[in-house]
């Protein structure tokens, strides 16, 4: 355990790196790792997949709620999910960390541990450290298509089944538990917080079924995306890109809603708002940041059995006169809003 | 020209992207560009080079001095130089931009133009936008080794010549011109500022001899790095990695010093400090952010002629009892300091 009073400003960049680098995942497929001007990563497939995302303190996380471990884990997962959603296996990542000079060194080593626990099989091959007034994290993840075509958003065909792997609404439930005061972020051990409410954990440190992405591609998924902005909104993107309707089954989603009812009751009690069950359904349909995978498969694939983790939640239909859209049991859903960084 | 009163908060993310994306470089070698969960980039070589860097407002640039164009250009160049320093040709990049909601949209489109002008032959294949209290830019650039071995820092051998491509000290001269008040950042046109002092331009919007990197690799360079932290400091890294001494020739560097004397005189006059010539030499030896390429070549390559842009500035020697180090005409240089983000 690092001395908790040690701050980033007490170390120079070399000393700080010496504490971080041994914690980061290393492994195969890397010709040149950190330490030169750039890394060299193998791409036997002759292509690589790449995606990038940034997390900004006070916009995407609060340090009062999220530990360094949480932020490192989340920064990795949200990018790993995007690579998986192309049907690729994550291979490598580069990570930049901007931090105030009074940030505890323990926060930074926790960050590295969270990153490392989320990253396998991807390896950290480089990065950058800088000072700044708030913590900012930028992660770029690369993946290997292993000879397969990428699974795009645009490949769904009428007659396909719509399936989902991962959780729906758990992250939104965790956020509402925290904001309502029904749960505390540190109901668990400091740093790793394994004893937290599973909903709070889903919000602060989401997991993604990363291995399900390449498995879906191998099974013949026709379209796929990472559900980061809510099921309805992201399903709408897949529908639009594919030029199809997607019809979600309320019955299939009832499983997800039911799983959230205990959290909805806790929030209802904390806020004196009796509409608990309704809230659980909204979390499932519109809650973001769960990083599950939404995919379409030919019906015959579903008949043989979907890859581990996927469950049918609807089907793909020929669009009507209204153009490609998302339906709930054949009906237009009530208005559901998304998320915009500049119009929160 | 965008309405100068239009702010980032006046547009949603889709509207902002619609203004940025058409400005970004697109081109060959990309199987899937922006718009899906991730991009797919070709890597015919079976490997790719990757590097990342972050620029933070008030740490790396001031918006009073740097236009959006400057920041976009610089963010691209500092990463392109790292890829070039491996002997690779830049192919693609991903870019994240964090911005306050009152940032003018014109700043963002200028940023995209600066990036685009610096990027070729690299293509922008993805990115992320987020809100934040200050502007932060994170760029990850990929490169193609085109079948060659990467040129590492560790390959210099006694008997090699030491050569440099690009400018030395011009960026540091520009910084001192600005801080002394001898020059103004907006001595040129708004946005692009082509009429600026060349030193101020070198500081605010550095260029790098990117094409000289792959050319050096083809010519047989034994070691190479990007000079971003000053000649002495970066030469020291190459010496240490290679286990050799590097002996710099004051005579060869006199050309670089002479080029900076007019700037040194301007600073001397603005600060009432008569030590002009001394300052020019310090800029050349210790000034950072020029992003030139320092490389070693076998003597026979130098005899045949170095690649375009490279000039011999010293040679590689067997280290003495003191271990690998940098010398000036055979002598230990006076103490020269580097740069540390947490101990400025």
């Amino acid at each position: 355990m690092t001395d908790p009073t040690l701050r980033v400003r007490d170390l120079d960049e070399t000393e700080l790196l010496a504490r971080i680098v041994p914690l980061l995942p290393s492994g195969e497929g890397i010709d040149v790792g950190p330490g030169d001007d750039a890394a060299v990563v193998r791409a036997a497939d002759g292509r690589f997949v790449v995606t990038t995302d940034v997390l900004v303190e006070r916009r995407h996380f609060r340090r009062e709620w999220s530990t360094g471990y949480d932020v490192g884990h989340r920064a990795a997962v949200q990018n790993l999910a995007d690579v998986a959603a192309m049907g690729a296996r994550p291979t490598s990542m580069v990570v930049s960390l901007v931090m105030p000079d009074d940030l505890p060194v323990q926060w930074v080593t926790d960050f590295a541990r969270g990153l490392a626990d989320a990253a396998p099989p991807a390896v950290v091959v480089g990065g950058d450290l800088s000072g700044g007034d708030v913590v900012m994290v930028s992660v770029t993840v690369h993946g290997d298509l292993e000879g397969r075509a990428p699974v795009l958003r645009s490949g769904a065909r009428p007659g396909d089944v719509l399936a989902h792997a991962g959780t729906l609404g758990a992250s939104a439930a965790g956020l509402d538990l925290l904001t309502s005061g029904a749960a505390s972020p540190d109901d668990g051990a400091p740093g790793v917080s394994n004893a937290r409410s599973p909903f709070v954990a889903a919000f602060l440190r989401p997991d993604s079924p990363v291995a399900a992405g390449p498995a879906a591609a191998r099974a013949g998924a026709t379209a796929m995306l990472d559900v980061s902005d809510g099921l309805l909104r992201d399903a709408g993107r897949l529908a639009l890109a594919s030029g199809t309707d997607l019809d979600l089954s309320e019955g299939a989603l009832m499983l997800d809603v039911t799983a959230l009812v205990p959290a909805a009751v806790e929030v209802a009690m904390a806020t004196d708002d009796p509409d608990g069950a309704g809230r659980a359904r909204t979390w499932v349909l519109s809650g973001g940041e769960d990083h599950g995978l939404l995919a379409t498969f030919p019906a015959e694939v579903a008949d043989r059995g979907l890859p581990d983790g996927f469950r049918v939640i609807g089907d793909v239909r020929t669009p009507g006169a209204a153009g490609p859209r998302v339906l709930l049991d054949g009906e237009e859903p009530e208005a559901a809003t998304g998320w915009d960084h500049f119009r929160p």
Side-chain angles (χ1 to χ4, degrees), chain A residues 288-301:
Chain A
E289 308 292 339
D290 281 295
H291 300 295
L293 297 175
L294 184 69
T296 57
F297 295 90
E300 57 270 26
V301 172

PDB file of all heavy atoms in Angstrom, chain A residues 288-301:
ATOM      1  N   GLY A 288     -28.322   4.359 -19.734  1.00  0.00           N
ATOM      2  CA  GLY A 288     -27.082   4.183 -20.506  1.00  0.00           C
ATOM      3  C   GLY A 288     -25.985   3.537 -19.695  1.00  0.00           C
ATOM      4  O   GLY A 288     -26.167   3.161 -18.534  1.00  0.00           O
ATOM      5  N   GLU A 289     -24.816   3.386 -20.345  1.00  0.00           N
ATOM      6  CA  GLU A 289     -23.564   3.023 -19.682  1.00  0.00           C
ATOM      7  C   GLU A 289     -23.500   1.585 -19.171  1.00  0.00           C
ATOM      8  O   GLU A 289     -22.631   1.263 -18.357  1.00  0.00           O
ATOM      9  CB  GLU A 289     -23.254   3.982 -18.521  1.00  0.00           C
ATOM     10  CG  GLU A 289     -23.282   5.454 -18.897  1.00  0.00           C
ATOM     11  CD  GLU A 289     -22.161   5.864 -19.835  1.00  0.00           C
ATOM     12  OE1 GLU A 289     -21.140   5.155 -19.888  1.00  0.00           O
ATOM     13  OE2 GLU A 289     -22.307   6.879 -20.535  1.00  0.00           O
ATOM     14  N   ASP A 290     -24.420   0.709 -19.636  1.00  0.00           N
ATOM     15  CA  ASP A 290     -24.293  -0.693 -19.228  1.00  0.00           C
ATOM     16  C   ASP A 290     -23.256  -1.440 -20.064  1.00  0.00           C
ATOM     17  O   ASP A 290     -22.693  -2.440 -19.606  1.00  0.00           O
ATOM     18  CB  ASP A 290     -25.644  -1.409 -19.342  1.00  0.00           C
ATOM     19  CG  ASP A 290     -26.559  -1.086 -18.171  1.00  0.00           C
ATOM     20  OD1 ASP A 290     -26.209  -1.458 -17.037  1.00  0.00           O
ATOM     21  OD2 ASP A 290     -27.587  -0.436 -18.396  1.00  0.00           O
ATOM     22  N   HIS A 291     -23.068  -0.977 -21.311  1.00  0.00           N
ATOM     23  CA  HIS A 291     -22.066  -1.589 -22.206  1.00  0.00           C
ATOM     24  C   HIS A 291     -22.336  -3.061 -22.500  1.00  0.00           C
ATOM     25  O   HIS A 291     -21.411  -3.862 -22.636  1.00  0.00           O
ATOM     26  CB  HIS A 291     -20.651  -1.357 -21.694  1.00  0.00           C
ATOM     27  CG  HIS A 291     -20.326   0.100 -21.601  1.00  0.00           C
ATOM     28  ND1 HIS A 291     -20.246   0.919 -22.714  1.00  0.00           N
ATOM     29  CD2 HIS A 291     -20.119   0.913 -20.535  1.00  0.00           C
ATOM     30  CE1 HIS A 291     -20.000   2.153 -22.332  1.00  0.00           C
ATOM     31  NE2 HIS A 291     -19.918   2.187 -21.014  1.00  0.00           N
ATOM     32  N   GLY A 292     -23.627  -3.406 -22.587  1.00  0.00           N
ATOM     33  CA  GLY A 292     -23.987  -4.699 -23.164  1.00  0.00           C
ATOM     34  C   GLY A 292     -23.861  -4.641 -24.678  1.00  0.00           C
ATOM     35  O   GLY A 292     -23.600  -3.586 -25.263  1.00  0.00           O
ATOM     36  N   LEU A 293     -24.030  -5.785 -25.308  1.00  0.00           N
ATOM     37  CA  LEU A 293     -23.937  -5.864 -26.766  1.00  0.00           C
ATOM     38  C   LEU A 293     -25.308  -6.217 -27.337  1.00  0.00           C
ATOM     39  O   LEU A 293     -25.927  -7.201 -26.927  1.00  0.00           O
ATOM     40  CB  LEU A 293     -22.903  -6.923 -27.173  1.00  0.00           C
ATOM     41  CG  LEU A 293     -21.467  -6.635 -26.727  1.00  0.00           C
ATOM     42  CD1 LEU A 293     -20.565  -7.817 -27.071  1.00  0.00           C
ATOM     43  CD2 LEU A 293     -20.933  -5.355 -27.368  1.00  0.00           C
ATOM     44  N   LEU A 294     -25.765  -5.401 -28.281  1.00  0.00           N
ATOM     45  CA  LEU A 294     -27.024  -5.634 -28.975  1.00  0.00           C
ATOM     46  C   LEU A 294     -26.672  -6.145 -30.369  1.00  0.00           C
ATOM     47  O   LEU A 294     -25.924  -5.480 -31.101  1.00  0.00           O
ATOM     48  CB  LEU A 294     -27.815  -4.328 -29.067  1.00  0.00           C
ATOM     49  CG  LEU A 294     -29.215  -4.405 -29.678  1.00  0.00           C
ATOM     50  CD1 LEU A 294     -30.167  -5.172 -28.761  1.00  0.00           C
ATOM     51  CD2 LEU A 294     -29.755  -2.997 -29.942  1.00  0.00           C
ATOM     52  N   ALA A 295     -27.199  -7.326 -30.727  1.00  0.00           N
ATOM     53  CA  ALA A 295     -26.795  -7.938 -32.001  1.00  0.00           C
ATOM     54  C   ALA A 295     -27.988  -8.573 -32.675  1.00  0.00           C
ATOM     55  O   ALA A 295     -28.983  -8.925 -32.023  1.00  0.00           O
ATOM     56  CB  ALA A 295     -25.707  -8.986 -31.760  1.00  0.00           C
ATOM     57  N   THR A 296     -27.890  -8.698 -33.979  1.00  0.00           N
ATOM     58  CA  THR A 296     -28.910  -9.426 -34.736  1.00  0.00           C
ATOM     59  C   THR A 296     -28.267 -10.671 -35.336  1.00  0.00           C
ATOM     60  O   THR A 296     -27.086 -10.662 -35.725  1.00  0.00           O
ATOM     61  CB  THR A 296     -29.499  -8.548 -35.848  1.00  0.00           C
ATOM     62  OG1 THR A 296     -28.441  -8.104 -36.710  1.00  0.00           O
ATOM     63  CG2 THR A 296     -30.205  -7.326 -35.266  1.00  0.00           C
ATOM     64  N   PHE A 297     -29.051 -11.756 -35.354  1.00  0.00           N
ATOM     65  CA  PHE A 297     -28.575 -13.047 -35.869  1.00  0.00           C
ATOM     66  C   PHE A 297     -29.626 -13.618 -36.818  1.00  0.00           C
ATOM     67  O   PHE A 297     -30.838 -13.440 -36.570  1.00  0.00           O
ATOM     68  CB  PHE A 297     -28.397 -14.058 -34.716  1.00  0.00           C
ATOM     69  CG  PHE A 297     -27.336 -13.700 -33.712  1.00  0.00           C
ATOM     70  CD1 PHE A 297     -27.643 -12.928 -32.597  1.00  0.00           C
ATOM     71  CD2 PHE A 297     -26.024 -14.156 -33.872  1.00  0.00           C
ATOM     72  CE1 PHE A 297     -26.675 -12.610 -31.663  1.00  0.00           C
ATOM     73  CE2 PHE A 297     -25.051 -13.834 -32.928  1.00  0.00           C
ATOM     74  CZ  PHE A 297     -25.371 -13.067 -31.823  1.00  0.00           C
ATOM     75  N   PRO A 298     -29.218 -14.337 -37.848  1.00  0.00           N
ATOM     76  CA  PRO A 298     -30.191 -15.060 -38.663  1.00  0.00           C
ATOM     77  C   PRO A 298     -30.998 -16.008 -37.774  1.00  0.00           C
ATOM     78  O   PRO A 298     -30.466 -16.564 -36.799  1.00  0.00           O
ATOM     79  CB  PRO A 298     -29.315 -15.846 -39.649  1.00  0.00           C
ATOM     80  CG  PRO A 298     -28.018 -15.104 -39.702  1.00  0.00           C
ATOM     81  CD  PRO A 298     -27.841 -14.523 -38.331  1.00  0.00           C
ATOM     82  N   ALA A 299     -32.272 -16.208 -38.120  1.00  0.00           N
ATOM     83  CA  ALA A 299     -33.151 -17.036 -37.285  1.00  0.00           C
ATOM     84  C   ALA A 299     -32.583 -18.442 -37.098  1.00  0.00           C
ATOM     85  O   ALA A 299     -32.716 -19.039 -36.013  1.00  0.00           O
ATOM     86  CB  ALA A 299     -34.546 -17.099 -37.913  1.00  0.00           C
ATOM     87  N   GLU A 300     -31.917 -18.953 -38.123  1.00  0.00           N
ATOM     88  CA  GLU A 300     -31.407 -20.327 -38.007  1.00  0.00           C
ATOM     89  C   GLU A 300     -30.262 -20.402 -36.985  1.00  0.00           C
ATOM     90  O   GLU A 300     -30.065 -21.445 -36.345  1.00  0.00           O
ATOM     91  CB  GLU A 300     -30.979 -20.893 -39.369  1.00  0.00           C
ATOM     92  CG  GLU A 300     -29.931 -20.102 -40.114  1.00  0.00           C
ATOM     93  CD  GLU A 300     -30.500 -19.025 -41.054  1.00  0.00           C
ATOM     94  OE1 GLU A 300     -31.644 -18.542 -40.792  1.00  0.00           O
ATOM     95  OE2 GLU A 300     -29.800 -18.648 -42.012  1.00  0.00           O
ATOM     96  N   VAL A 301     -29.535 -19.319 -36.797  1.00  0.00           N
ATOM     97  CA  VAL A 301     -28.508 -19.292 -35.738  1.00  0.00           C
ATOM     98  C   VAL A 301     -29.179 -19.367 -34.370  1.00  0.00           C
ATOM     99  O   VAL A 301     -28.748 -20.120 -33.485  1.00  0.00           O
ATOM    100  CB  VAL A 301     -27.631 -18.024 -35.848  1.00  0.00           C
ATOM    101  CG1 VAL A 301     -26.700 -17.898 -34.651  1.00  0.00           C
ATOM    102  CG2 VAL A 301     -26.835 -18.035 -37.149  1.00  0.00           C
TER     103      VAL A 301
END
